[in-house]
Amino acid sequence: YPSGNLAIIVVRDKKRLICIVQEDKLNNVEIQAVFKSNGRNTCYYPNGAVWINMNIQGGQYLDQAGNRVRRWTWPNSVVSSGAHVPLSPIFISLNRHVGVRILGQDKIAVSFLAMGQQAKFNVGTKVQVSDIGRLPPPARLGEDELLLLAIRVRILRLFDRLRGCLNFPSNKQWDKIKPPAYLITQTLKILQLCTTSDISDELRSSVRAIVNA
């Protein structure tokens, strides 16, 4: 960024490449997007809510409350039910310098523009259908990822309560105010993942305790 903060990082994790977009902050930098060479990509709103989520089968576009605005499937994907939904081109701005353009599974570009200079990163990938006409099952969340998601939601809820306390210091009922809808949605999704994921009972109890605290 013009500020000198690192905007885009490309790293190698074993056989995969990962492109990470960071916000323009010096401390406590949040991640605004993650693109992986295995086709799993996520973009986030400034408040941390999931904006766009993609995998090898397709993707979905969400609003800040966690409601699905639209979804699509890639042309070469194999869906278990329902018809293929084509992608309509998507253009979003993660911040004033970084934008994302999605035209196809292998046509996803991250562009950086500042001080008259531009850089583009092609982060799309083409996943081929297997010989038997089936795609590999989507990767499950690991134990560490699930725990981090729970901690992240817990921190966001704490920040929301702190914001309410600062905005309404004389309100004795501030601690009874419900969190925003998008945090409730994310909490419910994590609790659902606890039920469907192959994790230990101890970790499942820990995750539930974190998000329900």
Side-chain angles (χ1 to χ4, degrees), residues 11-127:
V11 297
R12 181 178 293 277
D13 178 21
K14 298 180 180 179
K15 295 183 179 180
R16 294 184 301 178
L17 287 175
I18 303 176
C19 177
I20 301 172
V21 180
Q22 298 188 137
E23 63 179 346
D24 190 8
K25 287 175 60 179
L26 183 60
N27 299 312
N28 301 321
V29 179
E30 295 287 347
I31 292 176
Q32 294 197 282
V34 178
F35 302 92
K36 299 181 179 180
S37 57
N38 63 359
R40 298 179 69 86
N41 312 308
T42 307
C43 300
Y44 300 94
Y45 283 102
N47 64 4
V50 174
W51 194 343
I52 295 175
N53 189 43
M54 293 174 279
N55 56 30
I56 57 177
Q57 295 179 343
Q60 57 182 350
Y61 187 113
L62 309 172
D63 63 18
Q64 296 193 55
N67 302 309
R68 187 170 65 191
V69 176
R70 54 173 158 155
R71 67 178 179 87
W72 67 89
T73 51
W74 304 122
N76 65 339
S77 68
V78 177
V79 293
S80 58
S81 62
H84 285 277
V85 180
L87 166 71
S88 296
I90 294 176
F91 304 88
I92 64 171
S93 295
L94 296 176
N95 55 55
R96 60 183 298 185
H97 296 291
V98 182
V100 176
R101 180 181 64 184
I102 305 171
L103 301 179
Q105 188 180 26
D106 59 342
K107 297 178 180 178
I108 303 174
V110 175
S111 60
F112 176 84
L113 178 63
M115 303 174 66
Q117 301 292 322
Q118 185 177 32
K120 288 187 178 181
F121 301 83
N122 182 16
V123 294
T125 185
K126 198 73 170 181
V127 179

Side-chain angles (χ1 to χ4, degrees), residues 129-150:
V129 179
S130 63
D131 294 336
I132 60 174
R134 303 282 302 177
L135 286 173
R140 292 181 178 271
L141 282 177
E143 293 189 352
D144 291 342
E145 292 174 300
L146 190 57
L147 189 60
L148 286 173
L149 280 176

